[in-house]
């Protein structure tokens, strides 16, 4: 027997876009149902993406530090040769995920959001049937928020299974592979490839483009390329992967020569695609733009009172973008329903992106490639090698820097980038300055704490004004 349920707001997908939309809808007094049919509360980011990958990256960094101490000493510290039980590390990572899952569940319960575990199948734009362990539930809603997220792209000649893995499986391996080949030199492949190299794996990277991280400018990626070279990571650039069998991956090199790479595991990280199949999107009558659901600046689709947020709506596929969109939609629905809220638009000046590589990369706003050939901008770079805090934590000798790009006429900041250890923690400061429309004088006039890495942002802005202090 099918149960029936009516609600004001129905959210499909419990990732960072969906669950944040749910919490905010609940806070605003909207009757809300959240259907979770994916990886679990928190979605890809919390369960098999952002959070677990950073946990593994952190563990890999700890292991590398001890390994350095055992290999001749570092900072006067010596230690015995370390060993790692990756199964225990993964169990620790899983514990973090469980804790965060429970936290999200508690927040949704507090907001009085009804969570239903199961995958929805839409019959029309406002009606779906959810198959659960306890039977089917037909749900009709006044408003629908689509937040189904994305999934790893599978190559037809390298289907996932066995020793060919996606980032999901890579984060749950029980042993460090002796030889790991990463297909794809974007941020996911490099983050995990570098982590496994630190854990002792022999790593090779196969990338079709002429350099790693092709979406970032070369100055930002050069310090990462240097780390890879120094640590013996094999790079095959301008190369194409082929089939895998008998422990060997077929590769065609830049020069068109055939090559075979030994591999215990092949990690395929060639991108992510929106999750549009298997839940009845085709029955909803919403317009598409390429593979993505088309939305306007209010996150509204072409169907009245159907909204979409997160990876389903296109680039940038970033968790914090989905969360911000989810809040916007909740506010709009509440406002139209007389429940408070605000009639908002999603129009950020910049959405900062971070690569948790070694060293880390941050980019917000316009980069040098975006302003190439323009004579109406100022570009200023300040190296971490001139920052005391960076040197004190061994973060000043890898070529890292902060770069500021600003308008020459009014000094409005147009973009900020950085590469270096721990620079991910500067990303919010960069985004904040761009969002508030700051000028160089705003950063220069802000007293930055000493000693911190953030002083490099201050000095880069001073340098753009022609009077850096420490260089």
């Amino acid at each position: 027997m099918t149960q029936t349920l009516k609600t004001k707001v129905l959210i499909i997908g419990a990732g960072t876009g969906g669950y944040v939309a749910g919490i905010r809808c609940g806070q605003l007094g909207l009757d809300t149902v959240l259907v979770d049919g994916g990886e679990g509360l928190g979605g890809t980011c919390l369960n098999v993406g952002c959070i677990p990958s950073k946990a593994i990256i952190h563990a890999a960094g700890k292991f590398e530090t001890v390994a350095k101490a055992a290999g001749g000493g570092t900072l006067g510290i010596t230690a015995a040769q370390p060993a790692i039980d990756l199964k225990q590390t993964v169990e620790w990572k899983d514990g973090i995920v469980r804790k965060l899952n429970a936290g999200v569940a508690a927040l949704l319960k507090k907001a009085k959001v009804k969570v239903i575990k199961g995958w929805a199948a839409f019959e029309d734009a406002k009606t779906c049937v959810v198959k659960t362990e306890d039977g089917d539930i037909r749900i009709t809603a006044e408003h629908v928020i689509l937040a189904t997220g994305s999934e790893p792209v599978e190559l037809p000649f390298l289907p996932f299974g066995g020793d060919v893995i996606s980032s999901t499986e890579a984060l749950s391996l029980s042993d460090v592979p002796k030889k790991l080949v990463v297909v794809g030199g974007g941020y996911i492949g490099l983050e995990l490839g570098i982590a496994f190299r630190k854990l002792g794996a022999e790593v090779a990277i196969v990338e079709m483009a002429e350099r790693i991280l092709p979406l970032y400018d070369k100055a930002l990626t050069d310090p990462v390329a240097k780390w890879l070279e120094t640590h013996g990571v094999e790079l095959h650039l301008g190369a194409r992967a082929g089939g895998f069998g008998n422990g060997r991956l077929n590769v065609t090199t830049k020069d068109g020569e055939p090559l075979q790479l030994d591999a215990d595991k092949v990690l395929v990280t060639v991108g992510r695609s929106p999750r549009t199949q298997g839940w009845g999107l085709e029955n909803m009558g919403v317009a598409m733009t390429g593979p993505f659901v088309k939305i306007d600046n209010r996150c509204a689709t072409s169907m009245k009172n159907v909204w979409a947020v997160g990876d389903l709506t296109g680039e940038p596929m970033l968790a914090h973008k989905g969360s911000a969109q989810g809040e916007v939609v909740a506010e709009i629905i509440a406002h139209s329903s007389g429940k408070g809220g605000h009639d908002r638009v999603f129009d950020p000046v910049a959405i900062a992106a971070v690569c948790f590589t070694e060293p880390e990369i941050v980019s917000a706003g316009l980069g040098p490639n975006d302003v190439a050939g323009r004579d109406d901008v100022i570009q200023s770079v300040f190296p971490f090698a001139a920052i005391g805090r960076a040197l004190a934590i061994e973060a000043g000798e890898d070529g890292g820097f902060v770069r500021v790009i600003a308008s020459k006429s009014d000094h409005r900041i147009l973009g900020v980038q950085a590469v270096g250890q721990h620079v991910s923690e500067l990303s919010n400061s960069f985004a904040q300055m761009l969002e508030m429309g700051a000028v160089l004088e705003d950063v220069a006039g802000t007293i930055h704490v000493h000693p911190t890495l953030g002083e490099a942002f201050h000095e880069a802005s001073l340098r753009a004004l022609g009077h850096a202090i420490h260089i």
Side-chain angles (χ1 to χ4, degrees), residues 27-113:
Q27 290 174 341
L28 289 164
L30 298 169
D31 183 25
T32 304
V33 173
L34 174 64
V35 177
D36 170 26
E39 296 88 353
L41 295 178
T44 294
C45 175
L46 194 157
N47 292 278
V48 294
C50 316
I51 299 301
S53 67
K54 303 314 164 285
I56 296 297
I57 288 168
H58 175 71
K62 292 282 191 183
F63 183 84
E64 182 191 37
T65 298
V66 180
K68 280 182 180 178
T74 177
L75 311 179
I77 302 167
T78 56
Q81 191 64 41
I84 185 165
D85 183 338
L86 190 60
K87 187 176 180 181
Q88 284 190 32
T89 307
V90 168
E91 288 173 357
W92 165 74
K93 176 265 295 182
D94 289 342
I96 294 170
V97 170
R98 285 193 298 272
K99 183 176 182 179
L100 291 171
N101 280 146
V104 172
L107 291 169
L108 288 165
K109 183 177 180 180
K110 181 180 179 182
K112 297 183 170 63
V113 176

Side-chain angles (χ1 to χ4, degrees), residues 141-155:
E142 185 177 333
H143 292 267
V144 173
I145 303 175
L146 302 176
T148 54
S150 62
E151 54 199 359
V153 171
E154 184 176 52
L155 295 172

Side-chain angles (χ1 to χ4, degrees), residues 184-435:
Y187 75 96
I188 296 174
L190 282 176
E191 285 182 5
L192 293 177
I194 288 171
F196 278 105
R197 180 69 192 106
K198 288 181 178 181
L199 292 172
E202 295 177 32
V203 177
I205 296 172
V206 179
E207 166 58 45
M208 286 177 57
E210 296 298 319
R211 60 184 183 83
I212 58 170
L213 297 168
L215 296 180
Y216 292 89
D217 67 86
K218 188 173 181 297
L220 283 178
T221 61
D222 275 350
V224 180
K226 181 181 177 183
W227 190 95
L228 296 173
E229 180 183 359
T230 302
H231 291 80
V233 175
E234 201 176 313
L235 277 181
H236 298 277
L237 301 175
R240 292 177 178 271
F244 174 73
N246 299 319
R248 290 190 166 188
L249 176 70
N250 293 310
V251 175
T252 303
T253 70
K254 179 180 178 180
D255 299 323
E257 298 295 323
L259 177 69
Q260 287 194 324
L261 298 176
D262 292 334
D264 298 309
K265 300 288 181 185
V266 176
L267 171 58
V268 179
T269 58
V270 294
R272 296 184 66 85
S273 60
R275 191 176 279 130
T276 56
Q277 303 297 313
W279 49 273
L281 176 63
E282 63 278 6
N283 299 325
M284 299 186 73
V286 300
M288 305 293 289
T289 175
F292 302 106
V293 171
K294 186 177 182 179
I295 58 171
D296 63 14
N297 64 357
R298 301 169 76 244
C299 301
T301 71
S302 58
M303 179 62 68
K304 182 177 173 59
N305 290 348
V306 175
W307 316 81
V309 301
D311 290 0
L312 187 64
T313 66
E315 297 290 352
M317 287 188 176
L318 298 170
H320 41 290
K321 181 200 79 171
S323 295
Q325 288 178 320
E327 285 191 72
V328 165
V329 172
E331 294 274 351
I332 292 171
I333 295 173
H335 181 74
S336 68
S337 305
K339 292 281 191 177
H342 299 87
D343 191 10
R344 295 175 57 185
V345 296
F346 181 71
D347 186 26
V349 174
I351 303 175
V354 177
C355 293
F356 290 86
T357 44
E358 186 66 57
E360 295 174 349
I361 296 174
V362 175
S363 182
L366 300 182
N369 295 338
D370 301 311
V371 298
R374 288 175 53 175
D375 60 5
D376 62 337
V377 298
I378 308 166
Q379 294 192 48
S380 172
V381 173
F382 195 89
F384 280 115
I387 296 294
R389 172 68 169 168
L391 295 176
I393 60 172
E394 299 181 284
E397 299 175 358
D398 54 13
F401 60 85
V402 172
R403 178 205 293 134
V404 176
I405 300 174
S407 168
K408 190 177 288 185
S409 61
D410 62 4
H411 295 175
R412 185 79 56 197
I413 297 174
L414 304 175
V416 193
Q417 294 82 41
V419 56
Q421 293 181 45
H422 312 296
V423 296
S424 58
E425 299 302 329
L426 301 181
S427 59
N428 296 315
S429 177
F430 297 167
Q432 181 183 38
M433 287 298 180
L434 286 163
E435 196 64 39

